[in-house]
Amino acid sequence: MSARLMQGNEAVAEGALKAGVRFFGGYPITPSTEIAEGMAKLLPKVGGTFIQMEDEIASMGVVLGASLAGRKVLTASSGPGISLKQELIGYAAAAEIPVVIVNVQRVGPSTGQPTAPSQSDVMQARWGTHGDHSIIAISPWSVREAFDLAVDAVNLAERFRTPVILLMDEIVGHLRERVELPESIEIYERRKPKSTRAEGYQPYKPDEDLVPNIANFGEGFHIHVTGLIHDETGFPVGSPKVTEESIRRLHEKIDRAGDEIIKVEESFMDDAEFAVVSFGGTARTAYEAVAEARNRGIKIGMVRLITIFPFADKILNDLASRVKGILVAELNYGQVVNEVRRAVNGKCPVKLCAKYNMQIFEPEEILKAIEDLAANQDQTYTVHSTGFEKVKDPEEVENTGGDD
Amino acid sequence: MRKQLRLSGSGGQGVITAAIIFAEAAVSEGFDAVQSQSYGPEARGGASKSEVIIDDGKIFHPHVHCPDVVLAMTQKAADKYFSDLSSDGILLLDSDLVPNVPDVSNVVRIPITRLAVEKLGKSLFANIVALGALAHLTNLVDFDAVKKAVAHRVPSHTIDQNMQALQIGWDAVEDFYNYEEKIAG
């Protein structure tokens, strides 16, 4: 396929369609709206359904219904809308309904800064809905990867029967760049019941990989779906044993498949003594900072998290054995840094380079933090709109606001 | 070889569309290109800025640093976005809408919006007039590729007028430099 200029959000719509999504329910919100627009254009041409609902909660409900009826489904929103979807994201986790939720992150909390970039919904992706549950969240750094991860998100949702958060940011969502899309992609088709009721089929009975083969509505099986804790029949049970087994299985079906799910990308790591950990649009800037630091003689590499959750605990822990220090660059007050510290568990210093003033990092800001990390300066960094500053504790810093 | 452009004005003037078309033309010529934008929450009237980077190598960080050309379609945009212009960079202004010219060595003043109204009857074409001027000033992407990119994106019944708009912008740069030479000579 020839090269063309494409926007990140457009690429998500294209990727989802190629992966087999045939139902989109949504409600427009900046900076995610181009995904809904893309699906509205594309879906009718392939016999799919686009529906704009009355709000984000209904949008989440309608895609879960369509998924239970056998469609591959997508919804897209940004912070305020994702907050509204949380109850039904938990329902999808509990009832094991495949669904992809795209969050094109903007500045929050609340309405925040609607058109400005941020990566501050990382922990919401993990824990936005209540209760013990597993989740998959993946984050692209380019328009091409937005396409690829939209495909992956759909496949993962179908494969593990779980909500998958495609964690975009405004940087990549609104970025247009040169892209060549692949000629063909791999698609995972949702598994169907392997036996009949007479042969003992139970919809929530897990297969060997702990994922159940739940029949789609309308394909000859009577299915009961509930957010209450349920046994293999799908009906609620008030027993400690079933509750424990159910919650454990929801976690283990994802945890066991860590090697299959978790993806990171390493750059300049062969002889690296230090590492920058970054993700999404911020990793583009971090990459340039790392390349420049190399030019200045600092042996530093980059580990880019493609999968955010399940978190790459083992990879980060191994990384900490190979390097003298890690710098986490993220466009928020400090979220992934805490996951890295947990995974590293004291093996090496983990420093934060944070920014939360509506503006993306400039390479020289991350470069300054890299130089001080390599010089063993014990600092935490916050990049201000008024210039670069370093402080002992980010809590002592007041954001002076953006001017853009 | 890297070229960096910043197009700025007020929401509704079409600077973002012009930037997208220019990036599309660059991609059609085999360059890597990225286009980003920032704007206020308003649909019209707020500050609007779009940046394009064109390179024969890969582009990572998507923001422009020391642009080669800055287009300003309002006084506010001109005042705000010229300061990091590269030393030999060019500031392209709508001469009617930016009466107070910032202190920059290379300034090209063209009555962009007036040309669109007088020659094509609509201010709507101002962004394409500006694009014609930018294509001339950047001297990187083939003008025919820019024409093709415009034709590809605009409604088919407006292609002729848009082609005229591009040429008007291109010619206006020629006229500006000829006039400067005459004054100097």
Side-chain angles (χ1 to χ4, degrees):
Chain A
M1 204 175 277
S2 61
R4 56 175 160 154
L5 190 78
M6 184 180 266
Q7 191 195 45
N9 282 343
E10 283 178 65
V12 168
E14 292 278 352
L17 192 86
K18 286 282 187 308
V21 165
R22 290 297 178 268
F23 191 99
F24 180 98
Y27 188 83
I29 181 171
T30 300
S32 78
T33 302
E34 296 85 359
I35 298 172
E37 288 174 347
M39 295 312 276
K41 274 184 211 146
L42 296 169
L43 279 170
K45 293 179 188 166
V46 294
T49 306
F50 170 91
I51 185 162
Q52 180 173 321
M53 298 296 286
E54 70 269 29
D55 62 24
E56 288 87 348
I57 301 173
S59 306
M60 192 66 211
V62 78
V63 294
L64 294 189
S67 181
L68 285 167
R71 295 283 186 99
K72 292 185 179 178
V73 300
L74 184 77
T75 188
S77 191
S78 187
I82 301 291
S83 290
L84 290 170
K85 290 176 189 289
Q86 289 300 336
E87 181 186 0
L88 285 171
I89 292 174
Y91 187 88
E96 298 180 78
I97 305 170
V99 57
V100 177
I101 304 109
V102 189
N103 179 1
V104 188
Q105 297 170 91
R106 66 191 220 186
V107 173
S110 190
T111 317
Q113 294 285 8
T115 60
S118 173
Q119 296 179 308
S120 54
D121 300 343
V122 174
M123 295 314 292
Q124 185 205 40
R126 180 66 191 88
W127 293 115
T129 196
H130 65 273
D132 284 324
H133 62 281
S134 60
I135 202 95
I136 297 174
I138 51 181
S139 188
W141 81 326
S142 68
V143 172
R144 169 60 201 263
E145 200 174 63
F147 175 93
D148 292 340
L149 293 195
V151 172
D152 285 358
V154 175
N155 284 341
L156 289 165
E158 298 291 327
R159 162 81 181 80
F160 294 100
R161 298 201 63 109
T162 178
V164 174
I165 313 287
L166 180 53
L167 198 59
M168 303 273 290
D169 48 50
E170 193 273 348
I171 306 165
V172 176
H174 275 170
L175 187 73
R176 288 182 180 83
E177 69 180 334
R178 181 181 200 275
V179 68
E180 280 178 68
L181 298 182
E183 297 284 349
S184 65
I185 55 161
E186 279 185 33
I187 295 177
Y188 187 91
E189 292 301 345
R190 188 183 299 183
R191 298 194 314 235
K192 305 238 169 170
K194 291 174 179 168
S195 56
T196 63
R197 281 279 192 199
E199 292 161 352
Y201 171 72
Q202 293 293 358
Y204 281 89
K205 185 176 181 191
D207 214 325
E208 278 174 13
D209 61 358
L210 303 183
V211 181
N213 301 323
I214 302 166
N216 296 325
F217 279 136
E219 294 184 3
F221 291 84
H222 295 278
I223 305 291
H224 188 261
V225 180
T226 176
L228 287 162
I229 297 277
H230 45 271
D231 65 10
E232 292 177 353
T233 67
F235 284 89
V237 178
S239 106
K241 181 170 175 289
V242 168
T243 304
E244 184 184 319
E245 283 172 0
S246 169
I247 291 171
R248 188 193 307 126
R249 186 174 64 74
L250 287 181
H251 287 80
E252 284 190 352
K253 71 174 178 179
I254 304 289
D255 292 346
R256 273 196 196 179
D259 291 344
E260 182 186 335
I261 299 169
I262 296 170
K263 283 190 197 168
V264 304
E265 184 183 66
E266 295 193 354
S267 311
F268 309 105
M269 281 304 296
D270 286 347
D271 61 342
E273 295 174 358
F274 299 93
V276 170
V277 172
S278 196
F279 59 98
T282 297
R284 300 176 72 104
T285 308
Y287 183 92
E288 288 205 359
V290 168
E292 179 55 27
R294 279 267 166 188
N295 287 340
R296 297 186 184 188
I298 299 170
K299 286 188 175 176
I300 186 151
M302 182 165 95
V303 175
R304 182 170 68 86
L305 305 175
I306 299 169
T307 309
I308 310 295
F309 296 112
F311 200 73
D313 282 23
K314 189 171 177 308
I315 291 167
L316 270 296
N317 193 277
D318 290 348
L319 175 70
S321 308
R322 289 156 61 198
V323 297
K324 295 181 203 165
I326 294 171
L327 181 76
V328 180
E330 51 183 328
L331 204 64
N332 56 43
Y333 198 78
Q335 298 194 18
V336 163
V337 67
N338 295 318
E339 290 298 292
V340 174
R341 284 184 177 135
R342 182 183 52 71
V344 163
N345 197 20
K347 270 193 186 173
C348 80
V350 177
K351 304 297 178 192
L352 169 65
C353 189
K355 189 171 182 177
Y356 43 91
N357 69 355
M358 298 174 74
Q359 293 163 333
I360 70 170
F361 280 106
E362 292 302 322
E364 50 269 32
E365 293 166 344
I366 298 174
L367 181 62
K368 182 74 176 67
I370 288 171
E371 286 181 327
D372 278 17
L373 174 79
N376 201 22
Q377 300 284 312
D378 189 21
Q379 306 282 1
T380 288
Y381 294 84
T382 301
V383 180
H384 286 243
S385 51
T386 49
F388 190 82
E389 274 188 44
K390 47 191 177 179
V391 289
K392 281 287 181 195
D393 181 352
E395 272 147 37
E396 292 167 17
V397 179
E398 264 184 64
N399 187 353
T400 51
D403 60 355
D404 202 343
Chain B
M1 171 72 171
R2 176 169 285 207
K3 284 276 182 187
Q4 305 187 81
L5 287 80
R6 181 179 295 141
L7 292 75
S8 63
S10 168
Q13 283 182 314
V15 297
I16 292 176
T17 303
I20 293 168
I21 294 173
F22 198 65
E24 281 176 340
V27 166
S28 75
E29 289 284 276
F31 291 101
D32 193 9
V34 301
Q35 179 271 337
S36 63
Q37 57 210 348
S38 78
Y39 49 87
E42 316 87 343
R44 274 179 181 64
S48 177
K49 176 184 78 165
S50 182
E51 295 184 337
V52 179
I53 305 173
I54 299 166
D55 204 315
D56 41 21
K58 187 133 178 60
I59 303 162
F60 291 93
H61 181 64
H63 270 196
V64 161
H65 186 61
C66 299
D68 299 293
V69 182
V70 171
L71 162 71
M73 299 278 286
T74 64
Q75 185 70 50
K76 199 179 158 196
D79 296 341
K80 199 171 171 183
Y81 295 125
F82 79 95
S83 62
D84 65 339
L85 198 65
S86 76
S87 54
D88 56 352
I90 300 165
L91 181 61
L92 170 63
L93 303 175
D94 185 311
S95 51
D96 292 338
L97 301 179
V98 187
N100 303 315
V101 180
D103 184 17
V104 176
S105 51
N106 295 324
V107 179
V108 174
R109 299 174 72 240
I110 295 173
I112 295 168
T113 308
R114 178 150 47 94
L115 285 171
V117 173
E118 285 178 357
K119 301 203 173 182
L120 297 164
K122 277 181 188 163
S123 63
L124 194 67
F125 294 105
N127 64 334
I128 304 300
V129 173
L131 184 60
L134 286 171
H136 192 303
L137 292 170
T138 47
N139 191 28
L140 179 70
V141 180
D142 185 66
F143 194 42
D144 282 337
V146 178
K147 286 179 180 167
K148 271 185 202 155
V150 170
H152 184 70
R153 198 162 256 276
V154 299
S156 54
H157 68 279
T158 67
I159 288 177
D160 285 349
Q161 282 171 301
N162 276 295
M163 292 303 117
Q164 287 176 50
L166 268 181
Q167 196 63 50
I168 290 165
W170 181 279
D171 293 346
V173 173
E174 301 258 303
D175 292 348
F176 179 83
Y177 282 131
N178 290 339
Y179 179 72
E180 292 265 290
E181 263 176 42
K182 216 164 116 189
I183 302 263

